[in-house]
């Protein structure tokens, strides 16, 4: 008989890939979010739908964690967006510190339900605006054990504010994630506090309207502080720490699709205990909207 955890992962893969294929067949159009690793403010318009397919990888001391995640989003109103994403792991989890890696989706084997609420929007000129968005999410694990810890649901919240125009973009935000205790040993993953700064530029050659191509580049800084994992209220020594990543990413939009991605490289790391330093993070995201 197939183990329960393996059976759930197979089912989620079938459902995720089947749902993604069905939406593609329906005729999709693209929705670009902006940066990859940093927080940003855009939400879908009223009645808009989008599908993202994100591929992400983390590499550390010869180990890797790679995953594909489809995400379906719906614009309930002009300023309210609902999203659900599913994990489709490509290999076995190594012992990595808790992190999101891609701010619109977690880098873990969790099903995530996310609500985005743009609480403030103000026009500052022709084609420019200043706005603030809150993102709230609930994550439900699909694996029973993770890095020798029993898993449990977690909550994620963030707030980001910034400026966007036809040529320049600036977003600054912060996020916090905490998990509940799991199993009789009361295992708990360490909390994650994150801050990000994103600066973007759209060259004059790419400021035309469709069918001209639309490309923009972003410089992203992401700082993470991860708390130690716990067992029965006792902190585990070789877990948690502080990291600062820098990334140069690009976003391309054309017609009914968008493509975003790029590497994030460590600038500073101070991990607790005897953990090896983490290396590059990679994300490639394809977006369709309809």
């Amino acid at each position: 008989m197939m183990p329960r955890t393996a059976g759930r992962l197979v089912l989620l893969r079938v459902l995720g890939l089947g749902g993604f294929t069905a939406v593609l067949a329906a005729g999709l159009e693209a929705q670009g979010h902006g940066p990859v690793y940093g927080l940003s403010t855009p939400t879908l318009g009223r009645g808009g739908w989008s599908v993202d397919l994100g591929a992400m990888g983390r590499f550390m001391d010869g180990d890797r964690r790679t995953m594909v995640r489809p995400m379906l989003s719906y614009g309930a109103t002009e300023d309210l967006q609902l999203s659900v994403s599913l994990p489709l792991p490509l290999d076995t989890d190594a012992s990595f510190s808790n992190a999101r890696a891609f701010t619109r989706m977690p880098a873990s084997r969790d099903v995530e339900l996310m609500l985005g609420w743009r609480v403030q929007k103000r026009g500052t000129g022709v084609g420019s605006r200043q706005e603030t968005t809150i993102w709230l999410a609930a994550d439900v694990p699909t694996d029973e054990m993770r890095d020798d810890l029993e898993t449990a649901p977690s909550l994620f919240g963030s707030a980001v504010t910034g400026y966007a125009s036809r040529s320049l973009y600036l977003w600054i935000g912060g996020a916090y994630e905490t998990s509940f205790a799991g199993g009789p040993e009361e295992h708990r993953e360490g909390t994650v506090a994150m801050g990000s700064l994103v600066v973007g530029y759209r060259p004059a050659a790419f400021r035309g309207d469709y069918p001209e191509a639309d490309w923009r580049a972003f410089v992203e800084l992401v700082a993470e502080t991860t708390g130690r994992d716990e067992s029965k209220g006792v902190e585990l020594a070789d877990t948690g720490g502080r990291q600062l990543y820098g990334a140069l990413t690009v976003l391309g939009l054309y017609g009914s699709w968008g493509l975003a991605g790029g590497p994030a490289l460590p600038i500073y790391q101070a991990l607790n205990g005897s953990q090896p330093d983490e290396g590059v993070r990679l994300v490639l995201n394809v977006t369709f909207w309809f």
Side-chain angles (χ1 to χ4, degrees), residues 126-199:
V126 178
S128 64
R129 66 191 184 278
Q130 187 273 325
E131 56 190 20
T132 302
T133 302
I134 294 173
W135 299 94
L136 301 173
D139 292 2
V140 180
T142 62
D143 46 357
E144 295 178 351
M145 299 291 295
R146 188 177 299 165
D147 300 337
D148 298 324
L149 297 177
E150 294 189 66
T151 59
S154 61
L155 299 175
F156 170 83
S158 67
V160 55
T161 190
Y163 167 84
S165 70
R166 290 180 59 84
S167 59
L168 297 174
Y169 309 86
L170 175 65
W171 289 292
I172 184 169
Y176 187 80
E177 183 173 9
T178 184
S179 69
F180 296 97
E185 299 297 316
E186 297 182 355
H187 291 162
R188 187 189 301 269
E189 285 191 297
T191 59
V192 179
M194 186 186 84
S196 70
L197 172 66
V198 176
V199 178

Side-chain angles (χ1 to χ4, degrees), residues 64-145:
R64 68 181 185 273
R65 176 183 292 179
T66 57
M67 178 180 301
V68 173
R69 293 188 70 97
M71 180 174 71
L72 177 65
S73 302
Y74 171 68
T77 72
E78 187 71 24
D79 301 312
L80 195 66
Q81 177 177 315
L82 304 173
S83 303
V84 58
S85 65
L86 303 176
L88 304 176
L90 300 180
D91 58 20
T92 312
D93 281 355
S95 181
F96 281 78
S97 59
N98 192 17
R100 287 191 68 82
F102 179 38
T103 55
R104 296 289 175 106
M105 307 180 206
S108 59
R109 295 187 176 191
D110 294 344
V111 175
E112 180 169 87
L113 301 174
M114 175 174 277
L115 169 69
W117 178 27
R118 188 163 50 187
V119 297
Q120 179 264 334
K121 180 174 61 176
R122 179 174 61 89
T124 57
V126 178
S128 64
R129 66 191 184 278
Q130 187 273 325
E131 56 190 20
T132 302
T133 302
I134 294 173
W135 299 94
L136 301 173
D139 292 2
V140 180
T142 62
D143 46 357
E144 295 178 351
M145 299 291 295

Side-chain angles (χ1 to χ4, degrees), residues 8 42 227 246 254:
R8 286 194 311 210
Y254 186 79

Side-chain angles (χ1 to χ4, degrees), residues 209-249:
D209 296 324
Y210 178 80
E212 295 185 19
D214 182 347
W215 288 92
R216 53 200 82 178
F218 299 94
V219 176
E220 309 183 36
L221 291 176
V222 178
E224 296 173 349
T225 298
T226 306
R228 285 184 167 92
D229 297 336
E230 296 182 7
S231 178
K232 287 189 174 181
V234 178
E235 294 184 340
L236 305 182
D238 297 332
T239 59
R242 299 184 302 278
Q243 301 188 84
L244 175 65
Y245 273 82
L248 178 61
T249 62

